[in-house]
């Protein structure tokens, strides 16, 4: 497809389990972003990649959160030892090239994570 | 800390009415985007504004970027139930802290 895709769309994890969330950006988009969104709130920045380089990870809430984009395309957000406060929608977005001035982002549908 | 404040947080109006929502900051933005998000979906880009004072129209939606590039407004004429959703503004900051900042959104509900 032409848009950003994310999988799974829904994930239920027991507290303490590890989860991996996948993002397939728009083909050719250099920049990729991960956000966390609580119910009824705006997206909160987690991390940002330019190709395979993670240029900003200042929004990751703890060292349990890890993101990678090894080949500069697909990205995975991993959360280790999940806690209830990790329950949220995780959004992925891509843009043509942030460093070249393209601030417009194209979002995937999100993964709703529920930690029980 | 850079913040983008959106107001109002919630707005519920009758179909056919006009409305304006606002996005304000003390930061200067290189560009500003407006998105609309519906339940269970990701935000969808509506428009981007770049130049201070710029006005863009998208059917019944009018977007304006402040002269100083610190604020923006979205005006909807003759609101329709299909306009219901969460409206988000996001600004690109290009200084020592190179970031894109999102506001918390305005939740709009149009009553038929």
């Amino acid at each position: 497809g032409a848009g950003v895709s994310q999988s799974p769309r829904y994930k239920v994890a027991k507290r303490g389990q590890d989860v991996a969330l996948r993002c397939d950006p728009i083909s050719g988009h250099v920049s990729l972003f991960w956000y966390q969104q609580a119910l009824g709130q705006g997206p909160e920045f987690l991390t940002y990649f330019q190709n395979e380089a993670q240029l900003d990870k200042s929004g990751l809430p703890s060292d349990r959160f890890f993101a990678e984009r090894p080949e500069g395309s697909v990205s995975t957000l991993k959360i280790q030892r999940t806690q209830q406060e990790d329950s949220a929608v995780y959004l992925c977005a891509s843009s043509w090239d942030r460093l070249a001035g393209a601030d417009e982002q194209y979002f995937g549908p999100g993964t709703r994570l529920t930690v029980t | 800390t850079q913040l983008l404040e959106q107001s109002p947080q919630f707005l519920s109006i009758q179909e056919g009415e006009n409305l304006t929502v606002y996005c304000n900051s003390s930061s200067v933005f290189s560009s500003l985007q407006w998105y609309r998000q519906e339940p269970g979906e990701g935000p969808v880009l509506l428009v981007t504004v770049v130049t201070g004072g710029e006005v863009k129209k998208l059917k019944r939606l009018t977007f304006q970027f402040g002269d100083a590039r610190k604020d923006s407004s979205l005006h909807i004429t003759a609101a329709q139930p299909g306009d219901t959703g969460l409206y988000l503004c996001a600004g690109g900051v290009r200084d020592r802290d190179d970031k894109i900042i999102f506001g918390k959104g305005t939740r709009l509900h149009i009553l038929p």
Side-chain angles (χ1 to χ4, degrees):
Chain A
V4 178
S5 60
Q6 292 187 244
S7 61
R9 289 294 312 273
Y10 304 92
K11 176 70 179 177
V12 179
K14 292 189 175 178
R15 189 163 58 93
Q17 281 185 334
D18 297 349
V19 298
L21 312 181
R22 177 188 167 105
C23 173
D24 282 85
I26 292 173
S27 178
H29 277 194
V30 171
S31 306
L32 185 146
F33 306 80
W34 283 99
Y35 294 89
Q36 182 187 62
Q37 187 175 31
L39 190 64
Q41 299 292 314
E44 295 283 346
F45 171 80
L46 293 176
T47 186
Y48 152 54
F49 290 86
Q50 189 77 357
N51 294 303
E52 69 278 4
Q54 190 174 19
L55 297 191
D56 188 346
K57 55 181 181 179
S58 61
L60 296 176
S62 77
D63 59 7
R64 296 185 295 104
F65 287 70
F66 171 76
E68 60 183 4
R69 194 187 185 197
E71 297 178 0
S73 177
V74 171
S75 178
T76 304
L77 176 66
K78 297 179 179 178
I79 309 174
Q80 297 176 324
R81 305 181 303 282
T82 53
Q83 304 294 316
Q84 282 195 314
E85 61 263 28
D86 300 335
S87 296
V89 174
Y90 291 86
L91 293 167
C92 175
S94 68
S95 71
W96 172 62
D97 188 336
R98 163 91 175 123
L99 292 184
D103 290 341
E104 301 88 344
Q105 296 180 54
Y106 297 86
F107 283 83
T111 295
R112 179 177 295 280
L113 173 65
T114 302
V115 181
T116 61
Chain B
T1 303
Q2 297 145 336
L3 291 173
L4 254 182
E5 295 187 359
Q6 291 192 241
S7 61
Q9 282 187 286
F10 304 97
L11 185 57
S12 181
I13 63 170
Q14 291 292 137
E15 180 178 0
E17 293 184 357
N18 302 332
L19 67 109
T20 303
V21 298
Y22 300 92
C23 177
N24 294 290
S25 178
S26 58
S27 300
V28 176
F29 297 109
S30 58
S31 72
L32 190 139
Q33 290 76 45
W34 284 92
Y35 297 84
R36 180 170 67 215
Q37 186 177 21
E38 299 187 28
E41 301 295 329
V44 174
L45 178 68
L46 296 174
V47 77
T48 190
V49 286
V50 177
T51 306
E54 183 176 3
V55 176
K56 282 192 173 178
K57 293 193 174 186
L58 185 66
K59 297 183 180 178
R60 294 175 292 99
L61 278 59
T62 302
F63 305 85
Q64 184 161 8
F65 202 13
D67 291 341
R69 291 184 288 131
K70 294 182 177 182
D71 54 84
S72 182
S73 63
L74 159 59
H75 182 78
I76 301 179
T77 303
Q80 303 294 312
D83 296 328
T84 293
L86 179 67
Y87 287 80
L88 296 160
C89 64
V93 179
R94 295 186 184 279
D95 56 15
R96 185 171 55 87
D97 295 321
D98 186 15
K99 287 194 179 299
I100 296 175
I101 306 167
F102 273 84
K104 294 190 182 300
T106 291
R107 185 161 296 283
L108 177 63
H109 185 56
I110 308 301
L111 303 167

